[in-house]
Structures are given as structure tokens and as C-alpha cells.
Amino acid sequence: MTLNFLIAPDFSPERFAGWHMLNTLLQRRSGIHLHLLTPTSPAEQAVLLAEGQADLVYANPFDAADMIRNQGYVPFARPAERFDEMVVATGAESSLQKLEDIKPGSRIALTDNKDVKLIGLRLLEPADLNESLIEWVPVDSFQAAARLTIKGEVQAGFFLAEAYASLTRMTRSQLRVLVESRISDISHVVLAHPRMAGDLPRISEALLGIGREPADSDVLGALGIPKGFEPMTQEDAEFMIDLMDTLLD
């Protein structure tokens, strides 16, 4: 039997090899054959989930909330000390100097990452801006958001903080951060479909154990999750979801 392990499409391209390394390590230590699914967009991910193809999912917090509350997925792990913060950035040559300089009608580039938009809207509150006062410019990737921001075709871009940090040094030199969130309670989540309850203990033990052997640091470094994974209970997940609901209010 093979289980499908779906990875949210918002990881940086250079992490691709890391996920394959992790998948191989999990198979070896759990004794369970895993097939890695790496959708290239939220739309492709939605199709795979709707078709019931995902047994394990590394989900962004927004998708995790829906999967836990409406689809019965079970949270059991999350990256240790690695939270989903986001960055609002403008071009280095932009006249914007602070967040409050963003005015109604401004154009903001963003990917289809609902958690990034959710946090970004909360960060825009000091500028007296809400969703209806912004002209949103959808893009397929954080790299595309950076290009539009650098060219001045948008006044700012929304970025997952890790994705912003992974942009090339040349790209980041042409951008300027206006604000970075510091919420420290919202993270990606590793979820299991209810049908794999019998295999979950072995998968969980293998995933949470990565980091105990010296060679594991290469895998975790390639993932950008240096401290590995920690347990996440249903109560932990509900707390995170409630916090996100508060941000939406």
C-alpha cells in the first residue's frame, strides 16, 4: 500500500529537494511507502484534495483550518519554532517609507495564499485600509510579486516571510520591507486523513524523531526547518484556528 503525502504549494523552489529527502527518510523509518504530491498551485492542490488523493498533508494554516473542521483531518505535527509570518514590501526606489504611506486605491501584488492575505490585511489596519480599498493584483508566485513591486507596477507586495528571505540577494536589494508580522502562533500543520488512523502512530513517530541523528540535520536544513517537527494536538490546532478567526473579525 502507498500513502500520498501532499505538500502545500507555497514552499520556495529550493526546498523541493528537501521534501523529497524527507519523504525518503520517512519511508525508511516508518516502513510505509509514501508518494510525494507537490502541486504547483492552490488550484491544483484543491483538485487533489477534492479527489481524495491526500493521506498526509503539509498544509498552510488557512487550508488546515478548513481540513480540520470540515473534512475531519487530524493534526499531529508542525514545524518547531517556525511560524508563518508575512512581509509587506515596496520597491527600493518607492516613495513609500512606512506602512501608513499606502493609500486607498493602491495596487498590491499577492499570491493565492489566504493566510498571507489575512495577516497582511491586519497589518494594514494602521493605514486605515481594508480589503475593499485596495486594488489587488493576483500573481502566481512570490517571485512574480517581487518583480511587479520592483518595477513599480504595484505599490507593495505581500510575501510569506520565508519566501521573502529566500529571494535572491539581488532581488531583495531592490525591495524595502515596510513591516513584518510578529504573531508567533500561526504555522503550517501536518495532517492525517482519518482513513490512515492505523498507520498514523508509525508516521508520527518517524516524523517527530527526525533530528535525533546527526545526519538528519542535512534533511532539515534542506527543508528550512532546522529544529524539526513538534507534536500538535487537536487543542493546539483549535487555538490557532480561533486566533485566525479573531484576525478575520
Side-chain angles (χ1 to χ4, degrees), residues 157-232:
F158 279 6
F159 302 87
L160 194 64
E162 186 201 5
Y164 184 87
S166 71
L167 295 171
T168 66
R169 184 176 299 179
M170 175 64 72
T171 298
R172 284 184 281 114
S173 72
Q174 299 175 77
L175 295 166
R176 186 171 66 254
V177 174
L178 295 174
V179 66
E180 181 171 351
S181 67
R182 289 287 185 269
I183 298 173
S184 298
D185 279 310
I186 297 176
S187 70
H188 277 53
V189 181
V190 189
L191 305 166
H193 193 281
R195 65 173 168 261
M196 59 163 294
D199 295 310
L200 183 54
R202 281 190 290 164
I203 290 288
S204 180
E205 182 180 4
L207 181 64
L208 297 174
I210 294 177
R212 293 174 186 165
E213 298 184 15
D216 293 352
S217 60
D218 292 337
V219 177
L220 296 177
L223 281 174
I225 306 176
K227 295 186 180 297
F229 294 85
E230 63 182 10
M232 186 179 205

Side-chain angles (χ1 to χ4, degrees), residues 48-65:
L48 292 171
L49 290 173
E51 293 175 347
Q53 294 194 41
D55 301 294
L56 289 171
V57 183
Y58 180 72
N60 72 48
F62 199 98
D63 290 338

